[in-house]
Amino acid sequence: MEYNELIERAQHTPVDVPDTDAILGGMRRTVQRRRQRQWAAVGAVCLLLAVAPLFFTLQRSSSNPSPTLAESVSATLPSTPGDLPAPLAGYRHSIRNHQTTTLI
C-alpha cells in the first residue's frame, strides 16, 4: 500500500510551473546578453584590426634602421667621385662576366 500512498500524495501535491511569460522573458534576456557579447567581441576585433597597422607603422618608423651588408661594405671601400658604389659595380662586373662566359 505504500505505492498507492505515494501516488495519492503526488496527485495532491501542487505543481510549481513557471508562467509562459516568465519563461519567454528569461529566454529574451539570455538572447539579448548573447547578442551584446557578440557585438562587443566584433567591435573589439574591428578595433584591433584598425589599430594594429597604425601601431606597427609607428613602431617601424621610430626604430633606427641598421645599415645593410652592402651599405656597410660600401662604406669601408675607398671611392672616387666618378665610381659607382661597390654593390652596383659588383653587379655590373657580374653581368659582364656572365656575358663573357656566354660568348665563350
Side-chain angles (χ1 to χ4, degrees), residues 17-37:
V17 177
D19 290 6
T20 306
D21 294 335
I23 293 172
L24 290 176
M27 289 174 63
R28 283 188 195 112
R29 284 190 298 274
T30 302
V31 169
Q32 188 177 16
R33 270 188 251 125
R34 284 182 187 168
R35 283 186 186 147
Q36 286 175 346
R37 288 181 191 149

Side-chain angles (χ1 to χ4, degrees), residues 3-99:
Y3 183 70
N4 290 336
E5 288 177 21
L6 288 174
I7 291 175
E8 284 180 29
R9 283 185 190 170
Q11 289 174 349
H12 294 295
T13 305
V15 180
D16 235 3
V17 177
D19 290 6
T20 306
D21 294 335
I23 293 172
L24 290 176
M27 289 174 63
R28 283 188 195 112
R29 284 190 298 274
T30 302
V31 169
Q32 188 177 16
R33 270 188 251 125
R34 284 182 187 168
R35 283 186 186 147
Q36 286 175 346
R37 288 181 191 149
Q38 287 173 347
W39 279 111
V42 167
V45 168
C46 288
L47 185 64
L48 180 66
L49 290 175
V51 172
L54 296 174
F55 175 73
F56 289 124
T57 303
L58 291 175
Q59 185 180 12
R60 239 184 287 138
S61 65
S62 65
S63 64
N64 294 333
S66 59
T68 63
L69 180 61
E71 292 171 340
S72 59
V73 168
S74 293
T76 60
L77 297 174
S79 63
T80 58
D83 283 344
L84 289 173
L88 294 178
Y91 180 71
R92 185 178 66 191
H93 293 309
S94 68
I95 290 175
R96 188 177 304 141
N97 291 339
H98 177 70
Q99 289 173 345

